Amino acid sequence: DFLNDRMVGEMGMGEAAKYAPPLVNLALTLGAFGKVPNLAPELAAKAAAVWMAANGLFGYFSTAAWLEGWGGKGLSAVESGMGKLMASTMCGGAVYIAASAFRGKTALECFGAMMGMYALTSLDGLYLSKTTEAMGVDPPKVLFWAAIQAFTAAAVFL
C-alpha cells in the first residue's frame, strides 16, 4: 500500500491520485531543503502554502467535485466526509506554513492560527454543513475537539 494502492483502488480513483501527491510533496520538500535549482527554500514554502490552500479550499467547499477530479465516484457520506476532513487538514497545513512564509509568525503563532482554523472547520462540520452528523460522529465528540482547538488558539493569541 506504499502508493495508496488499496485506498485509491477502493475509492475508484485513477493514477493521478496515486502519483501526484507524493511527487508534488517530494518536489516541495526538496525545494525546502534547497535541493531544487532556482527554487529557494522560502519560495518552496510559499508554493507549498498556496498549493495546499488551493487544494484544501476546493476540497473543503466542493468536496464531491474535488474527489471526482481525482477519480472518486459514488462515495458514501462517510467517504465524502473523510474527504472534507482531509481537505481541512490541507487547509490547516496551508495556514501553518503561510503564517510563517508570508507573515513571519513564530512557530507558536503558526500553530495557534492552524488550531483556530481547525476549530472553525469542526464547528462548521457540526452546525453548518453537518458533515460530522452525516458520518455518524457524536456531537459531543466534535464539540470536545472544537473546544480544545479554540482554547489552544486563544491561549496563543490572547
Side-chain angles (χ1 to χ4, degrees), residues 9-130:
E10 288 174 4
M11 294 179 74
M13 295 183 170
E15 292 295 307
K18 186 176 185 178
Y19 296 107
L23 290 176
V24 169
N25 188 0
L26 177 64
L28 292 173
T29 300
L30 288 174
F33 281 104
K35 303 297 183 190
V36 177
N38 301 317
L39 182 60
E42 296 80 15
L43 183 57
K46 289 177 179 177
V50 169
W51 173 255
M52 291 174 70
N55 274 289
L57 289 169
F58 179 47
Y60 193 81
F61 291 107
S62 299
T63 309
W66 182 63
L67 290 170
E68 191 170 315
W70 287 105
K73 295 179 177 80
L75 303 177
S76 71
V78 172
E79 292 165 330
S80 294
M82 289 304 294
K84 190 168 190 165
L85 179 62
M86 180 181 168
S88 76
T89 64
M90 291 181 80
C91 289
V95 166
Y96 190 99
I97 296 168
S100 174
F102 290 107
R103 307 287 296 170
K105 299 298 183 187
T106 67
L108 183 60
E109 291 169 320
C110 293
F111 185 73
M114 178 185 71
M115 292 303 280
M117 196 265 347
Y118 285 152
L120 292 174
T121 60
S122 292
L123 293 172
D124 167 65
L126 184 59
Y127 294 114
L128 299 175
S129 67
K130 301 195 184 295

